[in-house]
């Protein structure tokens, strides 16, 4: 609701528009999404990279390992305790570039306020500027890469889905790694035992030996 503020930090891969906020700070101005989802609250997302990028580990700070953007954010706020939103994203870019990282941080928001306004994670709450709330459908969207699920990624996801379906039908409990392997079970089960080991390997033995009953294959496969 209006009068409520949330500042989120996502230092993870493909986090650019992770909260699906309607405005992204680009070239010093807010650019609205084609099909924005407007809300009344004041929400700000600081992302470690763009949607098509990965976030890197950046060594450690305060005695603990941290992501590259988390380190850059801490360094920026320590060096510049008073700064605007525009300066924040610029300093983050500089910190990451100076550290040898290719990822580009992103700043998105629920309200199109003045980017020269002072940054504060908790204070200076922006009131609602959006005349209409909810999702606004203006443009039909198409996948940027229609072949994204072709090849290894698609095979892995489909294999994982099949593995979990098999596990459910068999009444077995398994972890994510085992589910993925079962979905695309290799002919040489010893390779999987070597990778997973322990209880996961015994579960794979059960699935492998009983594959004729669940998968319609033969025990010799």
């Amino acid at each position: 609701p209006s009068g409520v503020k949330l500042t989120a930090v996502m230092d993870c891969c493909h986090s650019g528009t992770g909260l699906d906020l309607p405005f992204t700070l680009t070239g010093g101005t807010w650019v609205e999404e084609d099909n924005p989802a407007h809300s009344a609250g004041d929400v700000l997302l600081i992302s470690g990279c763009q949607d098509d990028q990965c976030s890197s580990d950046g060594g450690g700070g305060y005695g603990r390992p941290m992501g590259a953007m988390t380190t850059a954010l801490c360094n920026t706020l320590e060096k510049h305790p008073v700064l605007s939103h525009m300066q924040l994203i610029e300093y983050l870019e500089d910190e990451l570039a100076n550290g040898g990282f290719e990822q580009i941080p992103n700043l998105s928001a629920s309200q199109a306020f003045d980017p020269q306004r002072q940054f504060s994670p908790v204070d200076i709450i922006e009131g609602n500027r959006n005349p209409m709330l909810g999702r606004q459908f203006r443009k039909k969207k198409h996948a940027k890469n229609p072949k994204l699920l072709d090849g290894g990624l698609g095979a892995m996801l489909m294999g994982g889905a099949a593995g979990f379906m098999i596990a459910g039908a068999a009444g077995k409990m398994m972890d994510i790694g085992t589910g993925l392997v079962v979905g695309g079970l290799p002919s040489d089960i010893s390779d999987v035992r070597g990778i997973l080991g322990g209880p996961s390997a015994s579960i794979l033995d059960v699935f492998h030996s009983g594959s004729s009953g669940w998968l319609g294959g033969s025990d010799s496969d």
Side-chain angles (χ1 to χ4, degrees):
S2 184
V4 173
K5 182 167 186 174
L6 168 66
T7 301
V9 177
M10 296 180 67
D11 190 2
C12 51
C13 297
H14 314 297
S15 56
T17 56
L19 293 186
D20 195 24
L21 297 175
F23 301 103
T24 299
L25 190 59
T26 305
T29 60
W30 293 110
V31 176
E32 188 177 25
E33 294 291 323
D34 292 329
N35 300 316
H38 290 298
S39 60
D42 183 6
V43 184
L44 184 73
L45 171 62
I46 305 170
S47 304
C49 63
Q50 301 297 304
D51 286 332
D52 59 349
Q53 292 182 314
C54 291
S55 287
S56 303
D57 292 328
Y62 308 102
R64 295 183 179 276
M66 299 193 302
M69 196 279 290
T70 301
T71 302
L73 180 61
C74 291
N75 290 343
T76 294
L77 295 179
E78 287 178 352
K79 294 176 182 177
H80 312 280
V82 178
L83 75 174
S84 68
H85 290 77
M86 191 67 225
Q87 290 174 318
L88 173 65
I89 196 69
E90 290 175 348
Y91 292 152
L92 285 177
E93 291 176 355
D94 290 343
E95 285 280 344
L96 288 168
N98 292 336
F101 300 101
E102 295 182 357
Q103 67 195 69
I104 301 173
N106 196 66
L107 196 64
S108 56
S110 61
Q111 307 293 333
F113 56 83
D114 182 359
Q116 297 298 338
R117 192 191 76 185
Q118 181 179 336
F119 167 75
S120 172
V122 293
D123 299 321
I124 315 176
I125 300 175
E126 185 72 29
N128 180 41
R129 293 169 172 256
N130 302 311
M132 298 182 64
L133 302 182
R135 176 73 68 182
Q136 312 297 316
F137 292 98
R138 302 170 182 169
K139 181 179 179 181
K140 188 174 182 180
K141 306 290 283 187
H142 300 280
K144 293 183 178 180
N145 183 3
K147 296 183 178 181
L148 179 63
L149 295 181
D150 290 351
L153 176 60
M156 182 187 72
L157 294 177
M158 291 301 295
F164 291 123
M165 291 175 66
I166 294 168
K172 302 293 182 180
M173 298 297 292
M174 58 168 50
D175 58 23
I176 293 175
T178 309
L180 290 172
V181 173
V182 170
L185 198 61
S187 58
D188 187 358
I189 194 68
S190 62
D191 292 341
V192 181
R193 290 196 196 95
I195 296 172
L196 296 179
S200 296
S202 63
I203 291 174
L204 287 172
D205 289 332
V206 172
F207 276 90
H208 193 251
S209 62
S211 61
S212 60
W214 298 319
L215 300 179
S218 62
D219 290 337
S220 60
D221 290 341

